Amino acid sequence: MSDTPVLVAVGHGSRGARHEETIGRLVDAVRRTRPGLRVETGWLDLVRPALGEVLAGLDSPAVLVPLLLGTGYHVRVDIPAVIAATPGVPARVARALGPHPLLADALCDRLTEAGRAPGDAVVLAAAGSTDPGAEAATVRMARLLARRLDAPVVPSYLCAGSPTPAEAVAGLRRRGHARVAVARYLLAPGFFGDRAAAAGGCVTAPPLGAHASVARLVLRRYDDAAAEATAAVPPAGRCVSR
């Protein structure tokens, strides 16, 4: 049994093969960034192996890094429930990926790849969530991207929130922005990504995918959670008063 926790990347899962392939490339990028670290992938829905199967097959402690851009129901409820149903291996859940300046770097690069010109306003198209905290996190991410680009960035939601990307694009044009780019605040292609492309922007950036900054962020979330786990263990021969 190794003392170094296994990094378990937790994917949401989707019926589209493009989603699984893109997440696979991201996980491969994480492995290349830190050779020697054991990295596994477990899925919450629709794709195998399921997270519970991965945890049951481990013989070392694990840090679960949600490949999710915001803290919502999956991070607060679903992942802890899988851990509780799979006793035997110590596991700790890292923070969701967003918001973070490294994501702003990746979004900026994706917008440039798509053809955004300097000064173009931007709509940040997020999946959306009924969790108020997730919506607030998207707003913070929009502010980070606005500072990175030195341009207006409006958060929008593809479900369970307002405005929609199309409404946000129209609103910016009413404010005098002739050119509006749409940034897909999504990790991988799929249904939401297709909806973002129909929002009416001059250009629509691809999802974040296996961008190097995203891979670095996955490892940063892993490192932070692993350090917290180590700090929580008292030195041998000592006890922690309660």
Side-chain angles (χ1 to χ4, degrees), residues 135-230:
E135 185 169 324
T138 301
V139 172
R140 292 196 298 274
M141 190 66 241
R143 291 171 181 162
L144 287 171
L145 183 59
R147 287 199 291 269
R148 178 68 175 75
L149 296 173
D150 192 23
V153 177
V154 175
S156 66
Y157 309 93
L158 291 154
C159 76
S162 179
T164 66
E167 290 168 343
V169 169
L172 282 166
R173 289 198 169 123
R174 284 195 299 270
R175 287 162 50 187
H177 297 280
R179 287 185 53 85
V180 180
V182 176
R184 281 188 259 210
Y185 189 41
L186 305 165
L187 280 180
F191 175 74
F192 283 150
D194 294 341
R195 288 186 62 183
C202 295
V203 296
T204 302
L208 292 162
H211 191 283
S213 291
V214 181
R216 288 169 53 203
L217 181 55
V218 170
L219 286 166
R220 183 167 298 187
R221 294 301 194 217
Y222 166 84
D223 288 338
D224 289 346
E228 290 169 3
T230 300

